[in-house]
Amino acid sequence: MRILGIETSCDETGVAIYDEDKGLIANQLYTQITLHADYGGVVPELASRDHIRKTAPLIKAALEEANLTADQIDGIAYTSGPGLVGALLVGATIARSLAYAWNVPAIGVHHMEGHLLAPMLDENRPHFPFIALLVSGGHTQLVRVDGVGKYEVIGESIDDAAGEAFDKTAKLLGLDYPGGAALSRLAEKGSPDRFVFPRPMTDRPGLDFSFSGLKTSAANTINQAFKQEGELTEQTKADIAFAFQNSVVDTLAIKCKRALKETGYKRLVIAGGVSANKKLRETLGTMMKNLGGEVFYPQPQFCTDNGAMIAYTGFLRLKQGQHSDLAIDVKPRWAMAELPAI
């Protein structure tokens, strides 16, 4: 079985082909970073228009990469939510049209389930059950995972997601878009002794997160430093970036450790764009080693939005006979608890 996957939930156009016997045999990705850089964030209308321009050429490129023709595709998977409604509609419309023309089944995939299962694309894949930390620009969730479709969200951010807090703080520091990765690189040059930020909501029970207050603390620190220095030096920016990143990482680690203790699970999966963060990987790796457990991450190329995770997730569900009807239905908001188990 060969599944074509299409990802268009935000500002990356991803197309991939997953083969049941060979694994991932094609992976094409186009990012809109340059398009949105002048605006300091994703402009939904521009994102949708660019998906229209790029999706069909990427499908052609993926077929060529895999040395396949359309009649050798057995099904199509596409992101149907959550995400930007216009962007989702582009991918869904193209996928449904191709499925009808090629006479193959199609299935709408939950974007966050795709991220959650992305580590399965690696040879060293986690076994169920496990705790998943889904951490990106739009989501920060702790999920109890007992199987594909057997998900229970046990903690989530009540305001900003961790990735969003990274990007907004980077913008306050005057870093280029996208700011999260730039902030992490700058933090490597920071001093550990100059600034300290709070670890929000770690002093109370529960597994929920909150990062808006941390962002405010960073803004206040930046303003105070600006008053003292007139113009922030690169070292001051690095020191603030260091303190901010440490706060986010420590907060995530504390909540992960708490979730593992409450469930008794020994495996932790980290997925989503922020899972590529070096400091986060180092901290959670050390934590799991001390706990006698295992931690799993996607390959760096599969941390951000991509078609490979959609193709793989769609393969799992199509193989079990699940599929979507001909209606072009997208869900900008979609709880993973609504997904059927397989």
Side-chain angles (χ1 to χ4, degrees):
M1 183 180 247
R2 299 185 186 97
I3 304 301
L4 175 74
I6 301 173
E7 155 63 21
T8 63
S9 66
C10 191
D11 62 337
E12 266 95 21
T13 311
V15 176
I17 300 174
Y18 185 85
D19 185 291
E20 181 176 7
D21 298 321
K22 300 178 181 178
L24 188 67
I25 57 176
N27 185 34
Q28 298 287 323
L29 184 68
Y30 174 79
T31 180
Q32 300 177 3
I33 286 177
T34 302
L35 176 66
H36 301 287
D38 289 342
Y39 304 95
V42 178
V43 181
E45 176 64 21
L46 295 180
S48 302
R49 292 183 181 187
D50 218 36
H51 286 309
I52 293 172
R53 287 189 288 265
K54 299 298 182 181
T55 305
L58 286 180
I59 292 172
K60 182 180 179 181
L63 288 170
E64 291 176 352
E65 180 185 352
N67 196 26
L68 297 175
T69 56
D71 58 0
Q72 293 174 292
I73 296 297
D74 301 302
I76 299 178
Y78 60 95
T79 304
S80 56
L84 302 175
V85 64
L88 292 169
L89 282 169
V90 174
T93 301
I94 293 173
R96 292 299 332 174
S97 300
L98 287 178
Y100 183 78
W102 295 352
N103 194 30
V104 296
I107 188 164
V109 170
H110 193 291
H111 180 74
M112 296 310 295
E113 182 179 37
H115 275 303
L116 188 152
L117 296 176
M120 302 292 186
L121 291 165
D122 198 73
E123 290 185 5
N124 181 31
R125 59 181 62 185
H127 297 288
F128 301 111
F130 55 78
I131 293 297
L133 173 66
L134 301 180
V135 56
S136 66
H139 298 81
T140 301
Q141 296 178 325
L142 278 167
V143 185
R144 175 175 174 160
V145 181
D146 294 317
V148 178
K150 299 177 182 178
Y151 310 131
E152 179 188 358
V153 177
I154 56 178
E156 59 188 333
S157 179
I158 62 174
D159 41 56
D160 290 354
E164 182 182 5
F166 262 100
D167 288 340
K168 288 181 177 178
T169 301
K171 191 172 184 178
L172 291 171
L173 287 170
L175 304 181
D176 292 336
Y177 173 85
L183 187 147
S184 297
R185 291 191 296 270
L186 183 61
E188 296 177 2
K189 304 174 184 177
S191 167
D193 304 317
R194 187 171 177 189
F195 300 107
V196 178
F197 292 140
R199 276 58 174 162
M201 293 186 70
T202 57
D203 58 347
R204 66 189 75 176
L207 298 171
D208 286 338
F209 303 90
S210 172
F211 293 105
S212 64
L214 178 58
K215 181 189 64 183
T216 301
S217 294
N220 291 338
T221 300
I222 292 169
N223 290 335
Q224 185 176 6
F226 185 81
K227 289 178 182 178
Q228 293 174 348
E229 299 179 4
E231 186 74 25
L232 295 186
T233 65
E234 285 302 307
Q235 187 59 51
T236 295
K237 290 181 180 180
D239 294 343
I240 292 173
F242 181 97
F244 176 83
Q245 178 174 257
N246 268 19
S247 176
V248 173
V249 169
D250 285 353
T251 300
L252 294 173
I254 290 168
K255 294 299 178 101
C256 285
K257 184 176 182 179
R258 192 176 293 178
L260 291 163
K261 182 178 180 180
E262 289 185 8
T263 59
Y265 290 176
K266 293 295 185 180
R267 284 182 288 271
L268 178 66
V269 166
I270 317 298
V274 182
S275 68
N277 182 280
K278 292 180 182 179
K279 180 65 176 178
L280 180 63
R281 291 191 175 214
E282 291 172 0
T283 300
L284 292 179
T286 301
M287 181 189 82
M288 292 306 294
K289 184 178 180 180
N290 293 337
L291 292 175
E294 299 176 280
V295 61
F296 300 86
Y297 309 94
Q299 296 176 36
Q301 62 180 322
F302 302 136
C303 290
T304 54
D305 297 348
N306 62 87
M309 67 183 191
I310 303 303
Y312 176 73
T313 304
F315 158 73
L316 294 177
R317 293 194 171 276
L318 286 167
K319 187 175 175 61
Q320 294 298 314
Q322 297 180 16
H323 62 86
S324 304
D325 58 29
L326 285 174
I328 298 172
D329 182 28
V330 298
K331 301 177 180 178
R333 295 183 181 275
W334 189 8
M336 280 205 301
E338 299 175 16
L339 294 171
I342 65 172

